[in-house]
Amino acid sequence: MLGEGMLKGLAETAKNFAGSFVSKDRLTTVQYPEERAPVIENTRDFPFLVYDGADDASDEAKLAGLRCVACQICEKECPPKCIYIVKSTDKKPDYVGKPQIYPARFDIDISVCMSCQICVEVCPFEAIKMDTEFELSTTDRFGGLLYDREQLARSNQHYHKIHPTEAAEVDARLAEEKAKSEAKAKAAAEAAALKAAAAAAPKPVVPAAIEQKEPTA
Amino acid sequence: MKSTEEILAMIQAALPAAHVELVLNPSPSAQHSLRVAPADAFAVASFLRESVELALDYCSNVTGVDWPDKEITEKVKVTQLVDGEEKVVEETVKRIEPGCLEAVYHLYSMRRAHEAIAGPVVLRMRTVNRTDQVQLPSLTFVWRAAEFQEREIFDLFGIVFTGHPDLRRILMWDEFEDHPMRRDYVDPDDYEYEPTPHDEVLKRAEAQSKSAGVTA
Amino acid sequence: MSTADMKVYRPPVIDIIEEGDELLEVAMGPHHPSTHGVFRMDVALDGERVIRLKPVFGYLHRNHEKIAEKASYLAAMPYTDRLDYFCSLTNNWAYALAVEKLAGLEVPERAEYIRVITAELTRIQNHASSIGFLMQEMGASGTPLMYAFRERERILDLFEELTGSRMMCNYMRFGGCRVELPTGWLAKAQTIVDGLPKFIDEIEALLTGNEILMARCQGMGILKPDLAINAGVTGPMLRATGVNYDLRKVDHYGIYDRFKFRVPLGDHGDIFDRYMIRVLEMRESVTILHQAIKDIPAGPIMDPKSKIRGFRPKPGEAYGRIEAPKGELGFYLISDGSGNPYRYRVRPPSLINLTILEDMCLGHNVADVVLIFGSVDIVLGEVDR
């Protein structure tokens, strides 16, 4: 019969229409912003810089706690080249206590950033991670979308909140490295004490240890 | 699937006058290729397509490669007469190896696809130079698949395919003059639309932070 | 057979225009709502009949190949997501496969399974939405597309959970995959895959028997197999003409020879066949997914030889290709031993499938051109690159 297929199709739409009143499965729309879709842990949008310290630390404390050592690997690897780093001229101790340079300037132009996560992957110091904040609209498309280090700094606590599994892994890895480097420093210090050569400084260990690491983000 | 050497032997048996040479690929993929003299390309391509044994009826990928002029510095030993005595003297000689444009065709067989795992048969041909003698014969009449891809090579590399039925620019606009995929292509700095490059943003940001009294 | 009388497949030449013919030249696009992006067709019409059609590309051209040649091998990976933005995971796979061939990397078994699962999910959501778009072009505004998008949404949620992004996944790496599956992901994937046959039945009940669809699609835009082969048409377009050529069966790339699945073939090569092929391919993808989710082994997901920083393959070249949802997606790479590819070329199935657009459209009404064009299933991000 001509029109049978069409009637069958209409029955299907009728089923969907009526079903949407009773079945949550058929009604998939979420009324943003009143309602929000559940947050997915692996979500990424724009990068932030991790600092060790409390969530509500002062700006100076935030900057002092940044893990970034301005090695500029992310700047080089960034596909759309949206990262801009200026190295500091002086040094400050990092999380293992080794003096390191730090970024005197670290800007990310998020109007250019394409949220690819390459910077996170190539970073040997677990210093840059992906945020999940997406409501970033601004009326100033130049200054408003260019984030400097103060705006980019987020605490490790925040990182734990948005990516708990990943952050726990990272913390375990860092703790292990710290223990290793402390043990090494201790051994070196003992050896140095034995030799009575106070000038013997511990060998840098961080990059070598990182090279063997699995490249999971 | 036959090896590239066997295919070369088949071509030489069928077309003894054709100039075809084997180009080895040192990478683990081991996809060796055949370089054909442009004058013989059409005959060789037709043979590859029509040969019952090979039946390379499917041209998958056509692309261009730019090999710019290379300056090679070499140390050459030269015998010279120094103070009436013959001496071997080392001299650094600079010579320019002329570059060329290359067209690469990746061929497969669809009719005989399920008989063996077939690697691509790679056909390449080179232009004489990169400036005025950039003609290569079009293989569009052998494989229609090359129609848009040869247009793209013409557009982006500047190889002129003689005999192509509709050789126009395909991706760039018709008035565009350069060939952007060449190695020595320089981006113009006078785009008509408003640019938002990173430098510009930085400049403004710097001015802003200066006015706010923050120094890097 | 000698090469002298070899069959030549010429592009159509306009020889039917006669003096006194009143032609109407129409530029369809670049902002025509039913083209899949910014694409223009310069059409010459005699009344309603199409007598010439020239596609015009390049509105979305950004020289993807040049960008990738200036970036490192790794940095080109996120750009591949943006080629065919519906199927970023298969794009990732094709590029990773080409680099693996170039550098001789081995992919661990678990990573291969993850790749198959993600690629088949990609294929399902691509085919579902391409059917939706085809119906949109036919005038079925909304309903089929929204049903397809509802299902696509679930699959994209899975992708987000795994890769962090819904469309720009950037997930595969040279010699494996970026991150391990999150806990419970496979169970979730299983639930969604279990629900898919119901969705495909629904789409079929809605569309397959529909008289309007049959009247407009059957016998329309016919493509002959010999022309399709010669013009390098691949994917569902080619199989709708009856040519049995599926790279999953031909190249045995990845681990596809471990799975039992059939390759659906059409016999008319018209729009309806293309539609049916897509529906049937979705069903076959579901069977592959069932097998892959059941068999996935534990183990590493990265080749230990692969390096994330300072990746420099030895000089040489490689061409790697996979069966992407839209056709054969290939990557051709030449390495000169440095950190970025000397030559990086994408073989875009969308662009090459458009070669025969004019051949298919000639003689049809202008309203059918939109439909024929929609049945090719292209994405302009890949056509223009």
Side-chain angles (χ1 to χ4, degrees):
Chain A
M1 186 191 85
L2 191 69
E4 202 184 327
M6 259 185 276
L7 287 177
K8 214 169 136 198
L10 280 175
E12 201 58 49
T13 41
K15 216 161 73 190
N16 268 284
F17 173 69
S20 65
F21 286 98
V22 284
S23 158
K24 187 85 188 62
D25 211 33
R26 285 184 199 272
L27 190 70
T28 43
T29 322
V30 173
Q31 300 293 331
Y32 177 83
E34 287 82 13
E35 278 176 54
R36 275 155 193 272
V39 183
I40 294 176
E41 199 191 313
N42 266 348
T43 307
R44 59 177 144 96
D45 43 38
F46 295 108
F48 67 89
L49 295 174
V50 188
Y51 68 86
D52 294 305
D55 245 344
D56 50 355
S58 65
D59 272 3
E60 290 78 45
K62 275 183 189 175
L63 293 183
L66 284 185
R67 289 180 187 166
C68 177
V69 299
C71 67
Q72 295 184 312
I73 292 178
C74 54
E75 188 184 26
K76 218 182 300 161
E77 282 286 337
C78 175
K81 306 275 177 250
C82 69
I83 303 177
Y84 176 72
I85 300 173
V86 176
K87 286 186 180 196
S88 67
T89 43
D90 54 333
K91 291 188 175 187
K92 61 164 199 185
D94 67 353
Y95 66 100
V96 290
K98 201 160 69 76
Q100 294 272 22
I101 46 174
Y102 60 93
R105 167 149 220 164
F106 195 115
D107 291 345
I108 295 181
D109 186 351
I110 65 162
S111 64
V112 176
C113 174
M114 60 191 211
S115 312
C116 64
Q117 208 175 349
I118 297 278
C119 51
V120 177
E121 270 170 75
V122 296
C123 180
F125 301 97
E126 313 283 1
I128 187 163
K129 295 289 165 194
M130 298 307 273
D131 210 342
T132 54
E133 176 66 45
F134 55 89
E135 287 151 320
L136 300 164
S137 49
T138 164
T139 48
D140 176 8
R141 61 190 267 233
F142 293 103
L145 291 173
L146 184 89
Y147 285 11
D148 58 15
R149 7 176 231 168
E150 284 84 356
Q151 284 164 295
L152 288 168
R154 297 269 187 291
S155 67
N156 197 21
Q157 239 170 316
H158 173 78
Y159 180 39
H160 271 276
K161 209 171 77 198
I162 54 174
H163 304 302
T165 333
E166 202 187 290
E169 277 168 26
V170 167
D171 271 13
R173 206 153 51 217
L174 288 179
E176 193 186 317
E177 263 163 39
K178 192 171 178 181
K180 233 195 262 173
S181 93
E182 268 171 5
K184 203 160 183 182
K186 212 172 144 192
E190 276 166 10
L194 279 175
K195 280 188 178 177
K203 282 250 182 312
V205 289
V206 179
I210 293 293
E211 279 303 335
Q212 298 150 6
K213 190 185 68 186
E214 282 288 307
T216 42
Chain B
M1 183 65 200
K2 294 197 174 330
S3 71
T4 320
E5 288 86 353
E6 285 170 315
I7 294 170
L8 179 63
M10 282 176 74
I11 296 173
Q12 278 163 348
L15 305 161
H19 296 281
V20 187
E21 54 178 318
L22 186 71
V23 185
L24 286 176
N25 177 2
S27 91
S29 73
Q31 294 168 350
H32 308 302
S33 44
L34 298 169
R35 188 180 298 135
V36 189
D40 305 321
F42 193 84
V44 171
S46 313
F47 167 74
L48 291 176
R49 196 190 102 180
E50 292 303 315
S51 143
V52 182
E53 232 175 306
L54 295 170
L56 296 165
D57 49 1
Y58 167 43
C59 174
S60 166
N61 178 41
V62 186
T63 188
V65 186
D66 182 17
W67 302 102
D69 302 342
K70 252 197 288 189
E71 199 185 71
I72 297 175
T73 342
E74 272 178 343
K75 282 200 174 144
V76 188
K77 282 183 181 159
V78 194
T79 40
Q80 268 183 348
L81 273 177
V82 183
D83 306 329
E85 204 180 324
E86 274 201 1
K87 264 187 185 175
V88 181
V89 185
E90 258 193 14
E91 262 185 7
T92 31
V93 178
K94 274 190 187 171
R95 65 187 168 92
I96 289 186
E97 202 179 71
C100 65
L101 299 165
E102 192 171 35
V104 186
Y105 294 73
H106 286 81
L107 313 175
Y108 290 92
S109 174
M110 271 195 193
R111 264 181 289 160
R112 307 193 61 160
H114 294 272
E115 287 164 32
I117 299 173
V121 175
V122 190
L123 209 61
R124 337 172 71 100
M125 38 186 188
R126 288 191 160 180
T127 60
V128 180
N129 60 21
R130 299 173 70 244
T131 46
D132 50 347
Q133 286 177 287
V134 289
Q135 285 82 14
L136 286 180
S138 164
L139 300 184
T140 299
F141 290 142
V142 186
W143 297 287
R144 180 82 192 279
E147 187 187 343
F148 283 178
Q149 303 190 68
E150 281 179 354
R151 264 178 78 182
E152 191 183 312
I153 300 171
F154 165 72
D155 187 356
L156 302 182
F157 286 92
I159 300 180
V160 177
F161 287 94
T162 47
H164 190 285
D166 184 20
L167 200 64
R168 286 178 293 140
R169 284 190 176 270
I170 185 168
L171 294 171
M172 307 303 284
W173 55 101
D174 291 338
E175 295 78 26
F176 191 79
E177 273 170 0
D178 213 338
H179 302 290
M181 278 304 287
R182 291 204 181 181
R183 308 290 292 186
D184 49 6
Y185 173 76
V186 187
D187 300 328
D189 52 358
D190 58 340
Y191 288 115
E192 279 169 34
Y193 55 85
E194 190 195 345
T196 54
H198 186 51
D199 297 350
E200 184 75 6
V201 179
L202 272 180
K203 222 180 282 164
R204 283 175 192 235
E206 223 139 88
Q208 230 175 25
S209 54
K210 228 172 253 163
S211 66
V214 187
T215 43
Chain C
M1 186 181 168
S2 81
T3 53
D5 48 70
M6 136 183 125
K7 190 164 182 208
V8 169
Y9 300 86
R10 280 172 198 283
V13 211
I14 334 133
D15 51 1
I16 44 174
I17 303 175
E18 283 166 22
E19 197 73 26
D21 273 357
E22 283 198 18
L23 290 188
L24 182 66
E25 295 213 14
V26 184
M28 290 178 81
H31 292 287
H32 192 277
S34 58
T35 57
H36 292 216
V38 271
F39 172 77
R40 195 173 97 210
M41 292 182 267
D42 281 343
V43 189
L45 300 173
D46 180 13
E48 282 270 304
R49 210 162 52 96
V50 174
I51 58 168
R52 188 185 66 208
L53 185 148
K54 292 287 171 209
V56 181
F57 314 103
Y59 293 95
L60 214 58
H61 180 55
R62 54 208 182 269
N63 220 338
H64 172 80
E65 293 175 6
K66 190 90 179 180
I67 293 173
E69 281 171 19
K70 285 184 172 175
S72 70
Y73 281 88
L74 176 66
M77 183 63 90
Y79 283 114
T80 63
D81 292 337
R82 285 141 178 95
L83 281 172
D84 173 358
Y85 37 77
F86 269 86
C87 320
S88 63
L89 283 158
T90 47
N91 298 349
N92 286 178
W93 192 355
Y95 179 47
L97 189 83
V99 177
E100 280 151 15
K101 280 192 175 179
L102 185 69
L105 295 171
E106 296 281 328
V107 185
E109 211 179 347
R110 185 177 174 81
E112 290 278 25
Y113 271 91
I114 298 175
R115 286 180 176 192
V116 168
I117 293 170
T118 51
E120 292 308 317
L121 284 170
T122 305
R123 195 180 313 279
I124 290 171
Q125 60 96 358
N126 175 72
H127 283 350
S129 31
S130 87
I131 289 170
F133 285 126
L134 179 65
M135 297 306 140
Q136 179 100 348
E137 266 150 8
M138 202 177 290
S141 209
T143 311
L145 182 63
M146 285 304 129
Y147 287 11
F149 264 44
R150 188 187 60 205
E151 221 55 36
R152 178 168 177 261
E153 203 67 8
R154 296 188 222 278
I155 293 173
L156 292 191
D157 279 347
L158 269 185
F159 288 167
E160 181 171 2
E161 208 162 309
L162 173 60
T163 69
S165 185
R166 302 159 67 77
M167 287 171 80
M168 305 298 142
C169 295
N170 183 19
Y171 178 60
M172 287 166 202
R173 290 288 174 269
F174 317 131
C177 298
R178 180 159 56 79
V179 284
E180 183 52 77
L181 301 176
T183 34
W185 192 86
L186 274 179
K188 259 182 219 167
Q190 183 70 58
T191 337
I192 286 165
V193 171
D194 286 341
L196 281 172
K198 205 177 128 220
F199 157 71
I200 302 169
D201 289 343
E202 190 181 81
I203 280 277
E204 281 226 74
L206 187 65
L207 301 172
T208 306
N210 190 304
E211 284 80 2
I212 302 174
L213 183 131
M214 285 200 269
R216 288 208 59 191
C217 290
Q218 289 180 342
M220 194 67 71
I222 291 177
L223 180 61
K224 291 268 182 296
D226 54 343
L227 174 64
I229 292 177
N230 195 266
V233 173
T234 43
M237 280 276 287
L238 175 72
R239 291 190 287 275
T241 66
V243 181
N244 184 0
Y245 193 76
D246 186 321
L247 292 183
R248 292 175 291 175
K249 292 275 191 198
V250 172
D251 265 18
H252 312 282
Y253 68 93
I255 46 161
Y256 272 111
D257 41 3
R258 294 190 195 177
F259 304 117
K260 265 180 108 167
F261 65 101
R262 294 169 298 173
V263 178
L265 298 176
D267 29 47
H268 303 100
D270 56 1
I271 300 179
F272 192 78
D273 274 8
R274 280 168 220 150
Y275 158 74
M276 274 320 288
I277 294 281
R278 295 206 169 100
V279 171
L280 294 173
E281 272 190 14
M282 283 202 278
R283 293 195 189 275
E284 293 307 316
S285 290
V286 172
T287 64
I288 297 176
L289 279 168
H290 277 303
Q291 297 168 49
I293 292 176
K294 200 175 91 226
D295 296 345
I296 184 166
I301 54 162
M302 274 299 272
D303 184 347
K305 273 187 296 176
S306 171
K307 279 200 292 185
I308 203 92
R309 287 183 295 268
F311 178 75
R312 290 172 206 281
K314 289 194 195 79
E317 60 170 58
Y319 180 62
R321 53 178 198 163
I322 69 161
E323 182 72 33
K326 293 184 167 64
E328 174 189 323
L329 177 66
F331 280 82
Y332 173 60
L333 299 165
I334 300 181
S335 163
D336 58 352
S338 68
N340 46 347
Y342 181 81
R343 177 80 182 101
Y344 167 102
R345 148 85 178 166
V346 189
R347 186 235 186 241
S350 299
L351 173 74
I352 295 159
N353 285 359
L354 283 178
T355 311
I356 36 71
L357 182 65
E358 185 174 17
D359 304 61
M360 289 196 294
C361 290
L362 287 187
H364 284 301
N365 285 350
V366 66
D368 295 326
V369 168
V370 178
L371 205 54
I372 295 168
F373 173 64
S375 73
V376 184
D377 183 21
I378 62 153
V379 155
L380 263 293
E382 189 176 74
V383 173
D384 291 343
R385 281 161 297 132

